[in-house]
Amino acid sequence: MPVAWMIGLPAVLAIAVALTWGARHYALRRNLMDQPGERRSHGVATPRGGGIAIVVTLLLAAAVAALAWPAARATLGVFSLGLALVAGIGWWDDHRPLPAIRRLLVHMVAATLLGALVWQASGSLVHAVLAVLFTTSLVNIWNFMDGINGIATSQAILAGLAFAMVMPLPFALAGVVLALACLGFLPFNFPRARIFMGDVGSGALGYAIAALVCLASVVTEINWLLLLVPLSAFLVDAGFTLLSRMLSGQRWMEAHTQHLYQRAIKSGASHTLVTALYFVFGLFSITVFNACSDLQPRWEAAVAGTWMIFATGLWLLLRNGLRN
């Protein structure tokens, strides 16, 4: 490993830790607190907005990468702008709640920037449109799923490592940096939450992971369906919960506690246990992903479809059990 990496990667972790510590003290001074409530899964007032540490760490890493690889400056600049837009609207919402449609419009603008990068790299307009839709969805999915201690951060760590393992250097560093930035935040949020990520962090994490998926789709030959497998825990829980709310005529954009992980908490399980179970499922997901990433595209698609069917069946079984 080059000396620069041996210095730079631990620095990413240290910066994330220091910035999270600073974000917590800022939130306490500004009384930026998440209060307990019927639609919340925590029982005590807790500072929020700690995800800004992950965002700033990623932006600093992108700036360093732009210096190291001048040819990638434009791409890194566009990604950084999109990340800043998603984080910025989340930061605003953490301080002064905004209408959902306003946040969604900003998410779509940021997703369009990422889609433009995919179009430029792949030459496929269809690929670019799919990237826009996927990115907009993942930004909101990560926000929906950030409801208990450690769950969103630990899943992001797994995703970062999963994509780092299948991409060539230097692209793999993007996944490693994301994992380290999240790891620096995690001790402040798990097992006991001393600060929450807030919308500034959860939405930005969704954007960063979407960028990793898009990057992997253009620098590897892996079927795009298989690229979804490391994210399957969140895609299945958020996707089918949203679908069930829409089919039942509920206001699906409102905050709620109907996700599988929230039902488990309401049934008496601890945050630590539920996050650990999602982490174990995530480990199985990235193992399947890594083991099958060298197959022919049609077999990768078959594996992905089979895994998603399995994940959906497990979700239905557990959800029905918690309902009863």
Side-chain angles (χ1 to χ4, degrees):
M1 178 182 291
V3 174
W5 297 4
M6 295 176 65
I7 297 173
L9 294 180
V12 170
L13 180 61
I15 290 170
V17 170
L19 290 175
T20 305
W21 181 87
R24 182 174 185 274
H25 284 267
Y26 168 83
L28 289 172
R29 287 197 309 271
R30 292 289 302 270
N31 195 32
L32 193 63
M33 309 289 283
D34 259 356
Q35 301 295 334
E38 182 182 350
R39 294 177 177 174
R40 305 281 185 173
S41 297
H42 61 284
V44 297
T46 305
R48 69 173 179 267
I52 189 65
I54 298 174
V55 174
V56 174
T57 301
L58 293 178
L59 291 175
L60 289 174
V64 172
L67 294 175
W69 294 284
R73 285 178 182 172
T75 298
L76 289 166
V78 172
F79 161 75
S80 297
L81 176 58
L83 183 67
L85 284 172
V86 174
I89 199 68
W91 180 256
W92 189 348
D93 192 54
D94 284 333
H95 286 73
R96 184 177 298 176
L98 295 169
I101 188 64
R102 192 175 302 177
R103 299 196 307 271
L104 181 61
L105 288 174
V106 174
H107 297 164
M108 292 178 68
V109 170
T112 301
L113 292 175
L114 202 55
L117 291 178
V118 171
W119 192 5
Q120 186 273 331
S122 68
S124 170
L125 180 59
V126 173
H127 195 170
V129 171
L130 288 175
V132 172
L133 296 175
F134 174 71
T135 301
T136 304
S137 300
L138 204 63
V139 166
N140 288 279
I141 284 172
W142 233 264
N143 183 272
F144 295 155
M145 297 297 291
D146 179 34
I148 61 174
N149 302 348
I151 191 169
T153 316
S154 60
Q155 290 295 310
I157 291 171
L158 288 174
L161 294 178
F163 294 117
M165 288 188 291
V166 299
M167 289 192 291
L169 291 172
F171 304 108
L173 290 175
V176 176
V177 166
L178 176 63
L180 288 172
C182 292
L183 186 61
F185 171 82
L186 187 61
F188 293 86
N189 184 247
F190 181 83
R192 182 176 68 88
R194 290 180 285 162
I195 189 167
F196 291 150
M197 192 181 301
D199 287 346
V200 63
S202 57
L205 264 189
Y207 187 83
I209 294 167
L212 277 181
V213 174
C214 291
L215 180 61
S217 74
V218 297
V219 302
T220 74
E221 299 297 324
I222 300 173
N223 187 285
W224 67 271
L225 287 173
L226 190 64
L227 293 173
L228 302 181
V229 168
L231 316 178
S232 55
F234 275 18
L235 293 180
V236 168
D237 195 358
F240 283 102
T241 299
L242 177 61
L243 180 62
S244 67
R245 286 174 59 80
M246 294 174 70
L247 292 176
S248 63
Q250 300 179 59
R251 295 182 178 179
W252 56 271
M253 295 190 72
E254 289 186 351
H256 61 86
T257 56
Q258 295 180 21
H259 290 294
L260 181 63
Y261 77 91
Q262 293 168 320
R263 289 172 179 263
I265 295 299
K266 289 169 68 176
S267 73
S270 68
H271 285 218
T272 302
L273 175 61
V274 175
T275 295
L277 290 174
Y278 271 74
F279 187 81
V280 169
F281 182 85
L283 284 176
F284 278 107
S285 298
I286 67 172
T287 300
V288 170
F289 169 69
N290 189 257
C292 300
S293 59
D294 290 325
L295 299 176
Q296 293 182 1
R298 65 176 182 273
W299 290 114
E300 289 178 350
V303 168
T306 302
W307 181 257
M308 288 299 185
I309 291 171
F310 165 73
T312 301
L314 182 61
W315 180 86
L316 289 169
L317 179 66
L318 294 174
R319 190 171 187 264
N320 185 62
L322 290 171
R323 180 187 294 142
N324 295 334

